[in-house]
Amino acid sequence: MAPRVHDCVGALLVSEGRILLGRRSDDCDWLAGAWDVFGGHVEAGESGEQALHRELQEELGIAPMEMHYLGVLAGDAPEPWRLRLYRVVRWQGAPTNLAEHAELRWCTLAEAQDRLRGAHRDFPGLLATAMASASAPP
């Protein structure tokens, strides 16, 4: 039997040339103390978009109004996982640290790439895509 894959979604919140990241609390079960995007596990019966709406409400108290699928990252450690990433450029509410994070920080592209580079080799490219797409004219 194939191992269970943790199916997750994540949001790259982009505003005024910056990306919002959170540093997870040291007592988190998953990625304790690491810088991360916002999101989490997809629950049974949820689409990726539904899961992302729920997770952003739980973690930041916001409702995404405009989001675009960017791509997927996957890995095997510490257990098999898949992370579908979305660029979120418009939302209702002000991002507030409600759960899981020791701190929130608006980062430049270079800062975000430095903080997430160790999590997956493809993170820097997806961050650059998110930033370029957010600043492109409609």
Side-chain angles (χ1 to χ4, degrees):
M1 179 189 321
R4 180 176 164 255
V5 174
H6 290 275
D7 188 20
C8 303
V9 291
L12 296 173
L13 275 71
V14 179
S15 179
E16 299 180 3
R18 297 194 178 263
I19 298 171
L20 185 64
L21 297 180
R23 188 176 58 77
R24 296 174 65 83
S25 299
D26 291 333
D27 60 355
C28 283
D29 292 337
W30 191 263
L31 302 172
W35 285 96
D36 199 10
V37 298
F38 301 95
H41 292 91
V42 178
E43 295 181 358
E46 281 184 322
S47 69
E49 291 82 5
Q50 289 169 327
L52 195 60
H53 276 264
R54 177 183 50 75
E55 289 285 350
L56 291 176
Q57 183 63 49
E58 291 173 1
E59 291 182 16
L60 297 173
I62 63 169
M65 303 298 292
E66 182 181 344
M67 58 190 218
H68 307 278
Y69 178 75
L70 283 172
V72 65
L73 301 176
D76 295 320
E79 299 172 24
W81 58 272
R82 174 180 75 163
L83 174 64
R84 289 177 275 167
L85 284 166
Y86 295 81
R87 173 176 47 90
V88 179
V89 295
R90 207 165 49 86
W91 53 85
Q92 281 185 323
T96 305
N97 189 10
L98 299 178
E100 295 181 9
H101 297 94
E103 69 177 291
L104 306 181
R105 185 171 298 168
W106 286 101
C107 301
T108 65
L109 175 59
E111 290 168 337
Q113 288 172 323
D114 285 346
R115 287 188 168 92
L116 296 178
R117 181 173 278 111
H120 194 281
R121 69 181 178 274
D122 292 338
F123 246 129
L126 281 174
L127 288 162
T129 298
M131 192 67 84
S133 298
S135 61

